[in-house]
Amino acid sequence: MASGNTWIGSNAAIPATHTHFDLRPLSTGEILDRTFQLYRARFTLFAGLAMLPAAVSVITQAFRLWYTARESVHVHIGHDLNKVRIVTGSLLLASSLISFVLYGITQAATTWAVSAVYLGEPASIRTAYKAVGTNWFRYTLIVLRQIWAWLWLPFLLIATAFGFMTARRGSTSANLTGAFLILIAFFSLIYSAWAYIRVSLAVPAAVIESLKVRASIKRSKQLLVDRKVRILLLLLFLFALYIVIGTIQAPLAFFALRERGAEAFLTHAISLGLSFVTATLIGPVGAIAICLFYFDERVRREGFDIEWMMTKLAPAQTFAPAVGSDLAASLLPPSEENSMPDQNP
């Protein structure tokens, strides 16, 4: 990686971790098992990285709830009602944009930390965020590209369906057409999952190989020509975890809708607290696993384990933590070693 996007910062005071994992082809179960080994070994590091976006998300949600509760005690009509709607929509848009940016940065920082810990190098929350901070816009664009790959087709079909039903309100044919498009949108989620999986390794590719947005997306597709089912199993596992948490939070949401005053405030506060804990504890699991899948694909396709071993053992290529470009060159695939991409998005 280039100097502004290296795994290891120049702060020599940070001790190297004693945790080291061998590089070799792994099965899906072994990758998930190693994900939790890494997480347990450096829980403070990974949970600390996830804490920032989780905290910001909770704060923005709390502010929107406060504004909604404050305005709900008044009766708004005409201009005042439109003003409340505009402010509420603006708050939602701003919080969503902030969440996207922080999610991209956190994914990149977690990838950086996983890479360092996985290969027995020093890592900390500060150095992880510092290493990826200069390219935050690139990672945000990659995350948006991944979300677009997942949602564009269902969104287009549903928007078209509602367009039919709205334009010809009350028409039986329009309603049937809309219902048919919504049904197709539901089944299109299969394609959406496949499209997302193809680009799921883009963030690790961008962080570790210093690739731009398009190159990162292309690199992910190259690495995931096959073995996409493993990523699908990971997504299903994460979905199951969030379903369990959602089941716990559902009664709180129900009571929050029914209660008023202090009871509703307390219920919302507990729900936001659970959301914070959930994002902090579960969020890193997916990022760690995706990074390990990236390493595994490179080991299988490019002999990355042999390259790394030779880099660590060869006297002429002694590893220097402060020199990011040397490490980047050793991590690039063979065809790219002599033509490292620049850092600009």
Side-chain angles (χ1 to χ4, degrees), residues 185-209:
F186 175 77
F187 286 106
S188 72
L189 292 175
I190 299 174
Y191 166 79
S192 297
W194 176 81
Y196 175 82
I197 289 171
R198 291 182 70 207
V199 299
S200 60
L201 302 185
V203 172
V207 174
I208 296 175
E209 300 179 44

Side-chain angles (χ1 to χ4, degrees), residues 51 71 81 85 89 110 140 152 223 308:
M51 193 174 294
E71 295 299 325
L81 178 60
R85 289 175 176 173
T110 303
T140 302
W152 76 267
L223 291 173
W308 178 254

Side-chain angles (χ1 to χ4, degrees), residues 6-86:
T6 61
W7 284 3
I8 313 304
S10 59
N11 189 352
I14 301 172
T17 176
H18 297 290
T19 304
H20 181 74
F21 297 89
D22 58 320
L23 280 171
R24 61 180 177 83
L26 300 172
S27 67
T28 304
E30 287 176 320
I31 288 180
L32 292 177
D33 180 64
R34 190 162 289 190
T35 295
F36 286 102
Q37 288 182 38
L38 273 168
Y39 197 9
R40 289 195 303 268
R42 297 298 297 273
F43 174 79
T44 303
L45 171 63
F46 294 118
L49 288 170
M51 193 174 294
L52 174 61
V56 172
S57 176
V58 167
I59 291 172
T60 54
Q61 289 183 61
F63 184 76
R64 285 194 290 111
L65 286 172
W66 169 81
Y67 179 79
T68 302
R70 175 175 173 271
E71 295 299 325
S72 64
V73 299
H74 305 289
V75 178
H76 297 285
I77 58 174
H79 176 74
D80 291 337
L81 178 60
N82 291 333
K83 180 181 177 182
V84 171
R85 289 175 176 173
I86 291 173

Side-chain angles (χ1 to χ4, degrees), residues 203-243:
V203 172
V207 174
I208 296 175
E209 300 179 44
S210 293
L211 299 178
K212 298 179 182 180
V213 177
R214 289 186 179 180
S216 300
I217 298 298
K218 183 178 180 181
R219 179 73 165 139
S220 178
K221 292 177 181 179
Q222 290 173 343
L223 291 173
L224 287 173
V225 172
D226 47 17
R227 289 187 290 275
K228 297 182 181 68
V229 175
R230 306 196 306 168
I231 308 294
L232 177 62
L233 293 175
L234 170 64
L235 296 178
L236 291 175
F237 174 70
L238 294 174
F239 179 73
L241 288 179
Y242 282 109
I243 285 293

